[in-house]
Amino acid sequence: MALLFQPLTIGNVTLKNRIVVSPMCEYSSEDGFINDWHIVHLGSRAVGGAGLVMTEAAGVSPEGRITAEDLGIYKDEHIEGLHRITKFIHAQNAVAGIQLAHAGRKASHEVPWKGGAELNAEDPRAWKTVAPSPIPFKDSETPPIELSVEGIQKVVTDFHKAAIRSIQAGFQVVEIHAAHGYLINSFLSPLSNQRKDKYGGSFENRCRLLLEIIDAVREVWTEEKPLFVRISASEWITGGWTIEDSVQLSKLMKERKVDLVDCSSGGNSASAKIEVKPLYQVPFAEKIRKQSNIKTAAVGLITKAEEAEEILKNEQADLIFFAREMLRDPYFPLHAAKTLGVDIPWPVQYERAKR
């Protein structure tokens, strides 16, 4: 059987194949709540045959959302709706995962189809953003508030509480979002983190917030439950975070029982020059996998079944995260199986259309 359709067991969870619906923001919530859009969007990808279906980034606090329309998991009232999603996904023999996030200095913005700009301070939807240092992502934007040590501990607590709610909502995989210039990523980078206390300066200090969050999540998200971390493996800019840093960080995360590193890149420096092309991030997943001895996921302009199969054959990654291709084709896994000559079960409601 093609490697893309071989199962993978992590902890006490078995994925039926190596295809993951990558977290993709839908900007369609009100006060963090799911609605019919989320049920249909995520549910159709489970019907389409993915092994793991991840929610979009879910804010661990109201101020941790990118936009006021982001999904949230910052209050108990969110649990019931999220449980509707996990129940449906699991009924399709797929696994439901959630990405926990804090947007940091990239929060309080408009939705993309309305331009995506920073919200005007007078907009009733706007809020003050926070970061390791008062450095805006773009020079034209309002400087964020530098988090106090007490504020940092609140962030750690927010992730801890979000992990508890994730259990109650029935998720089987949690991913901590530490990429793309959001709060945790901005602590990791020496360009955005210019603190002088124990959370800034040295590599160890800049990693401290993420490692504290991992420990706080693992207090409740026990070791048999898969824990992923998404990172920006390279900042793509001189003086910034590098792939060598990511290898070192991944070793530290493995010691703390992180099961898999989801290897993206960029997003923390507005001036970064990135040559975006198919499979451009796969070498990051390969290097971290081989040098840190930890499972990895490849992501980024992977659009064909043959590409995914080759990545797995070359032992460059353990899972393949599909993003835009899953937006274009919710049934990509069913089509990929046909391409690779694999006969997999279809939903019984669709069996008559299989041939």
Side-chain angles (χ1 to χ4, degrees):
M1 179 182 288
L3 293 176
L4 190 60
F5 288 93
Q6 289 189 5
L8 177 67
T9 298
I10 303 175
N12 65 356
V13 173
T14 298
L15 309 180
K16 64 183 177 183
N17 58 48
R18 309 300 180 93
I19 298 174
V20 182
V21 178
S22 193
M24 293 176 283
C25 290
E26 298 299 297
Y27 308 106
S28 300
S29 295
E30 183 176 342
D31 190 22
F33 284 92
I34 68 106
N35 53 45
D36 289 349
W37 175 264
H38 301 92
I39 294 170
V40 173
H41 166 67
L42 295 169
S44 63
R45 273 83 195 160
V47 169
L52 171 60
V53 180
M54 300 290 300
T55 69
E56 65 192 85
V60 299
S61 62
E63 65 275 13
R65 297 171 296 167
I66 305 166
T67 75
E69 290 76 21
D70 281 16
L71 189 68
I73 191 166
Y74 47 83
K75 54 186 178 181
D76 291 344
E77 289 79 5
H78 291 145
I79 296 170
E80 182 179 0
L82 291 170
H83 189 257
R84 285 187 64 194
I85 290 177
T86 62
K87 184 178 179 181
F88 183 85
I89 290 173
H90 294 153
Q92 312 313 309
N93 194 30
V95 171
I98 187 167
Q99 186 185 66
L100 306 181
H102 192 301
R105 63 180 181 170
K106 297 178 82 172
S108 192
H109 278 63
E110 187 56 273
V111 296
W113 49 85
K114 293 183 179 179
E118 178 185 35
L119 292 176
N120 187 291
E122 297 177 358
D123 190 315
R125 298 172 298 158
W127 62 91
K128 293 182 179 180
T129 63
V130 296
S133 302
I135 303 169
F137 176 66
K138 297 179 180 177
D139 292 340
S140 60
E141 295 182 340
T142 305
I145 298 170
E146 180 174 312
L147 273 170
S148 65
V149 172
E150 291 74 20
I152 290 172
Q153 291 310 307
K154 179 186 179 300
V155 169
V156 175
T157 299
D158 288 340
F159 273 90
H160 177 88
K161 291 180 178 178
I164 294 173
R165 295 187 185 106
S166 298
I167 296 169
Q168 295 169 336
F171 288 100
Q172 291 182 293
V173 174
V174 155
E175 177 171 272
I176 297 169
H177 198 348
H180 302 163
Y182 300 125
L183 184 66
I184 299 173
N185 187 202
S186 67
F187 266 85
L188 295 173
S189 170
L191 299 180
S192 49
N193 183 350
Q194 298 182 8
R195 299 176 71 94
K196 304 299 182 184
D197 63 4
K198 67 179 183 177
Y199 290 97
S202 68
F203 172 86
E204 290 75 16
N205 283 356
R206 286 183 280 112
C207 293
R208 190 181 304 277
L209 172 61
L210 173 55
L211 299 181
E212 287 184 354
I213 288 171
I214 290 169
D215 289 343
V217 168
R218 269 300 187 206
E219 285 180 8
V220 293
W221 194 260
T222 49
E223 289 184 23
E224 71 274 8
K225 299 177 183 290
L227 177 61
F228 298 177
V229 176
R230 170 166 281 191
I231 65 170
S232 283
S234 171
E235 202 163 350
W236 296 97
I237 189 168
T238 302
W241 183 267
T242 67
I243 179 58
E244 289 74 25
D245 292 326
S246 293
V247 168
Q248 188 175 350
L249 172 63
S250 297
K251 292 177 181 178
L252 296 175
M253 293 195 293
K254 183 177 182 181
E255 292 175 359
R256 284 168 168 78
K257 309 303 181 183
V258 169
D259 296 293
L260 178 141
V261 181
D262 177 5
C263 302
S264 189
S265 69
N268 192 53
S269 300
S271 59
K273 300 293 188 291
I274 306 174
E275 185 183 352
V276 177
K277 58 184 179 180
L279 315 185
Y280 74 108
Q281 296 180 143
V282 174
F284 297 137
E286 180 180 19
K287 189 165 187 174
I288 290 171
R289 186 179 189 270
K290 291 179 178 178
Q291 296 190 11
S292 302
N293 194 28
I294 191 170
K295 289 182 176 64
T296 62
V299 65
L301 294 186
I302 304 168
T303 61
K304 298 179 175 65
E306 298 92 336
E307 293 171 340
E309 182 70 9
E310 195 68 16
I311 291 167
L312 295 171
K313 281 184 177 178
N314 292 336
E315 299 184 343
Q316 295 172 289
D318 300 274
L319 291 176
I320 312 297
F321 277 53
F322 292 89
R324 288 176 176 84
E325 190 60 29
M326 279 291 188
L327 293 182
R328 290 185 285 262
D329 182 5
Y331 305 103
F332 171 79
L334 301 182
H335 299 146
K338 184 175 182 180
T339 297
L340 297 175
V342 179
D343 185 19
I344 63 171
W346 281 35
V348 293
Q349 296 90 339
Y350 290 178
E351 275 286 344
R352 61 186 178 275
K354 189 173 180 179
R355 295 177 177 83

